[in-house]
């Protein structure tokens, strides 16, 4: 009798974004003329930069010619891309090209990474948080059941709210795996090196490993804000970093990301021996993954060409200007607004006593704007709301106008 | 203290193909002038069909234009591709488009599928077998340690050798998950519908699930040989099927495959309730995967265009002619040869008392040909050797000449 993985049954019914889609579809059916502006899911809207498009065409042509055709590539990614990543994103950080594992996206990696860890680990996440960290731990059997507020037993939830200025406090108890994401999804906030240093020191003291999600690093505009955990001394002994081409190069539908696993990072076996996390991840990827499509890797590498860098900088600037317009518009209405300076997300307090979903329904009904309820990211997100700056300028300006009428 | 997944430590040191690469590299360094012909790894050599190349260029151009740009796609794949798969590959088999899950490759899916199953299942594999099935079960903790012959405790190994004409016998004991692959990798052999029917009936009687790998179905040339498990009555209640664009459309480096999960397929929870495998896999993919690159899906769909079908038929025919040349050449030398008629692999008995690796070294040293030792696929593969027909015609003809000299 084929037994299923019972832990899946603990998962709450709806993943956040399908639930948003369901409500929007229902509203659209009832109001077919409504001009919906979607600022919910953090999906880019602008086309791929020309340098990337051109490189992908070239790679497709290589695949059309016997002499330049590529079959199976290295599971870890081609050297041309691994080298470009290190040279451009990790210069001076003591990261080697063979510590870069190219993948088809950061979401996959941040889920799959649990394959190499055991089941007795105590897991810490911030709250609110990117739901994939939680759900993949539920699936892996690292949690108990969810309580009424949606919190799973066995996880340590670290609140990040306006009360602590969105700075996650190092726990007073030991944990084994820690998920951190900066610039943060969903709050759009960042922390300084001093905060990350505390976490690195904590991890070192507790033999813990930090899973650092830096998918939004390209949006950092302030010089003193770290873009990588590996800017912090000691991080090479305690951290894995996830990065993506999705939000900077516009790869949400093109698919490419990577994970950085320093060779100095060690985990512990059940008999107490230290073992290389890099070797485990390499074995995992070699066995369960077959590398990223060649034309996509060529496109990703073009993000680091002179033209590619210039075009990506323009894209980032475009989205950050959107975020600034949203922030300014909301602030002019007396709203409490966070994020949007070093991140493409604006995080706001819902007005009055409205719940996150209450505000969602109200906003959708009265302004036809779609955002993301903060409570969908965890119970500490209740009373907050996320707006994504990934949109056309015209839509952002129109959204600000509608918000002004809504709050007038 | 971050505990690792100790089951990884049970894995034998070298995955088969890295070990082959190691020996070939060592030989090439010692013999830099040797003209190696690689017939080891089953990697295609011919360029992507023109219809696919053209479609991919078109899709890249769509990504370059704001109006046609695609961000996140459905995790399950675009309807245009799911529909094309059903219409072309499952006509009359009672498979719906929403039972198709598009992925970045069959290797990934055949490993990831274990995410949705529990840990008490008894697993059956054929021997020899594609190593990924075994290694992913080891990683998931579904096996004990390996013995001297490389067999892992807890797995049921079903030998497929010339003694049983490469037809896996239904076990006399109950098992819960069964891996079957036809046309078979590595032996290149096939079975008739009557054999698959026995397996489907066995699975039904034991509430077991068959994981059917049909990655090589495009090479089936004989009309009475099934291409899909879903040609068998009752399979929709007991089977999952894996398919790939790698070996027919030449996508080994382009990456696209899919998994067919009928909505009628049920697994069992620990409390004995029946639950939908389709729902579990959908949840797994939605949470840990983000869909296949849009230009790649467009390329895969072009495999089903009139031009695409014609060009792929020519590719398949080309590789099968290679396989026929290899077969004929070896048979003319009095060798015992299997496969190569409905599959791109030829499986031969090593001459005399040579072991698989002994023959590998001998062949490499004396003819500079690289094949795959049968024992690398399992202990019942000892004394066999796999040659891949994925090569240029000139290399295949040259290989046959060298084999003739070798055995002369």
């Amino acid at each position: 009798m084929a037994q299923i993985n019972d832990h899946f049954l603990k998962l709450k019914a709806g993943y956040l974004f399908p639930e948003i889609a369901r409500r929007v579809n229902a509203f659209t059916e009832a109001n077919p003329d409504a001009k919906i502006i979607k600022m919910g899911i953090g999906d880019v809207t602008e086309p791929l930069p020309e340098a990337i498009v051109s490189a992908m065409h070239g790679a497709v042509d290589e695949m059309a010619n016997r002499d330049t055709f590529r079959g199976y590539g290295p599971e870890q990614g081609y050297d041309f891309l691994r080298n470009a990543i290190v040279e451009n994103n990790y210069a001076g950080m003591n990261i080697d090209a063979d510590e870069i594992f190219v993948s088809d996206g950061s979401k996959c990696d941040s889920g799959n990474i649990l394959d190499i860890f055991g089941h007795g680990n105590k897991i810490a996440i911030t709250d609110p948080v990117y739901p994939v960290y939680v759900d993949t731990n539920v699936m892996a059997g690292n949690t108990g059941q969810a309580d009424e507020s949606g919190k799973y037993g066995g996880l340590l939830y670290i609140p990040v709210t306006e009360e602590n200025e969105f700075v996650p406090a190092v726990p007073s108890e030991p944990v084994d795996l820690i998920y951190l994401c900066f610039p943060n999804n969903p709050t759009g906030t960042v922390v300084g090196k001093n905060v990350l240093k505390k976490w690195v020191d904590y991890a070192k003291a507790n033999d813990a490993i930090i899973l650092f999600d830096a998918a939004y690093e390209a949006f950092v505009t302030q010089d003193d804000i770290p873009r990588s955990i590996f800017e912090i001394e000691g991080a090479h002994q305690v951290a894995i970093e996830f990065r993506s081409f999705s939000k900077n190069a516009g790869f949400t539908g093109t698919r490419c990301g990577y994970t950085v696993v320093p060779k100095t990072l060690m985990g512990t076996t059940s008999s107490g021996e230290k073992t290389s996390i890099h070797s485990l991840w390499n074995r995992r990827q070699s066995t369960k993954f077959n590398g990223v499509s060649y034309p996509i890797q060529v496109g990703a590498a073009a993000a680091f060409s002179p033209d590619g860098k210039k075009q990506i900088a323009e894209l980032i600037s475009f989205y950050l200007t959107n975020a600034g317009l949203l922030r300014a518009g909301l602030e002019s209405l007396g709203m409490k607004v966070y994020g949007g300076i070093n991140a493409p997300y604006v995080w706001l307090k819902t007005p009055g006593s409205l719940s996150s979903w209450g505000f969602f329904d109200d906003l959708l009904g009265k302004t036809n704007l779609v955002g993301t309820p903060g409570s969908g990211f965890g119970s500490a997100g209740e009373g907050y709301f996320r707006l994504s700056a990934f949109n056309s300028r015209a839509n952002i300006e129109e959204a600000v106008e509608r918000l002004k009428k809504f709050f007038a």
Side-chain angles (χ1 to χ4, degrees), chain A residues 267-316:
Chain A
T268 309
T269 69
S270 60
S271 58
E273 280 159 40
K274 296 297 171 194
T275 192
S276 160
I277 294 292
H278 183 277
S279 294
L280 292 174
W281 185 244
N282 189 50
R283 186 65 196 249
R284 193 270 170 211
Q285 290 297 82
S286 302
T287 305
K288 294 177 80 168
F289 184 60
N290 232 336
V292 172
S293 182
Y294 174 69
I296 306 304
Q297 290 194 60
V298 171
F304 300 112
S305 69
D307 282 351
K309 281 193 231 186
K310 190 165 155 284
Q311 291 158 11
I312 283 173
E314 285 163 8
L315 261 184
I316 298 289

Side-chain angles (χ1 to χ4, degrees), chain A residues 31-357:
Chain A
N31 304 275
D33 295 335
K35 287 191 181 154
I36 303 274
I37 297 180
K38 293 188 180 179
M39 308 167 79
I41 189 166
D43 193 4
V44 297
T45 55
E46 303 309 302
L48 290 183
E50 157 49 32
I52 290 172
V53 168
S54 165
M56 283 172 66
H57 277 306
V60 170
D61 283 335
E62 285 183 66
M63 298 298 267
N65 182 324
R66 199 185 189 285
D67 295 333
T68 51
F69 175 78
R70 308 262 186 151
Y72 289 121
E75 287 95 349
Q76 303 83 356
Y78 279 102
D79 282 345
F80 66 78
L81 179 54
R82 300 170 97 188
N83 287 330
I85 289 167
V86 165
E87 283 162 24
N88 288 280
N89 288 352
Y90 292 98
M93 282 188 233
N94 198 23
I95 293 290
D96 291 337
D98 66 355
E99 296 174 320
I100 307 289
F101 292 84
V102 178
S103 79
D104 63 327
S106 199
K107 177 184 177 187
C108 312
D109 285 354
S110 67
N112 291 336
I113 196 77
L114 290 177
D115 279 5
I116 65 169
F117 290 108
H119 291 297
N121 291 311
K122 177 86 183 179
I123 319 276
I125 57 158
T126 56
D127 180 12
V129 77
Y130 179 46
V132 168
Y133 312 153
V134 176
D135 288 357
T136 54
N137 271 290
V138 176
M139 290 174 172
N142 294 338
T143 75
Q145 298 286 349
D147 66 16
E148 273 178 27
S149 73
K151 283 186 177 171
Y152 289 93
L155 294 184
L156 180 71
Y157 290 81
I158 301 171
V160 282
T161 61
E162 59 179 0
E163 280 74 36
N164 60 14
E165 294 178 311
F166 303 96
V167 175
V170 166
S172 53
E173 59 193 294
V175 303
D176 306 306
L177 291 179
I178 302 146
Y179 290 85
L180 293 177
C181 172
F182 290 106
N184 188 252
N185 177 16
T187 67
T189 57
V190 292
V191 293
K193 289 185 185 179
N194 58 328
V195 173
L196 291 187
K197 181 76 171 95
K198 277 185 201 166
W199 278 100
V200 166
D201 290 345
Y202 168 87
K204 220 165 187 171
N206 291 282
D207 238 345
I209 290 178
I210 297 171
L211 304 171
F212 191 80
D213 187 343
Y216 295 91
E217 61 79 29
F219 294 87
V220 171
T221 53
Q222 292 174 299
D223 280 349
D224 55 340
I225 299 298
R227 291 166 174 263
S228 167
I229 188 81
F230 299 117
E231 293 181 41
I232 311 303
E233 199 203 321
H236 299 65
Q237 280 74 50
V238 298
I240 290 170
E241 180 161 292
F242 304 105
R243 288 227 190 163
S244 172
F245 291 93
S246 284
K247 312 292 166 130
N248 55 346
F251 268 43
T252 53
T254 302
R255 313 301 314 139
C256 197
Y258 54 96
T259 291
V260 187
V261 188
K263 291 193 288 281
T264 44
L265 178 64
M266 296 286 149
T268 309
T269 69
S270 60
S271 58
E273 280 159 40
K274 296 297 171 194
T275 192
S276 160
I277 294 292
H278 183 277
S279 294
L280 292 174
W281 185 244
N282 189 50
R283 186 65 196 249
R284 193 270 170 211
Q285 290 297 82
S286 302
T287 305
K288 294 177 80 168
F289 184 60
N290 232 336
V292 172
S293 182
Y294 174 69
I296 306 304
Q297 290 194 60
V298 171
F304 300 112
S305 69
D307 282 351
K309 281 193 231 186
K310 190 165 155 284
Q311 291 158 11
I312 283 173
E314 285 163 8
L315 261 184
I316 298 289
S317 167
F318 174 81
Y319 290 129
L320 281 173
T321 302
N322 283 353
L325 290 171
L326 278 176
R327 261 190 81 101
L330 289 160
E331 281 174 342
S332 77
L333 298 164
M335 303 283 291
K336 279 192 171 178
V337 188
Y338 305 94
I341 294 169
N342 298 291
Y345 298 125
V346 170
W347 186 246
L348 55 119
K349 281 289 283 180
T350 57
S353 60
L354 270 180
S355 72
S356 295
W357 278 110

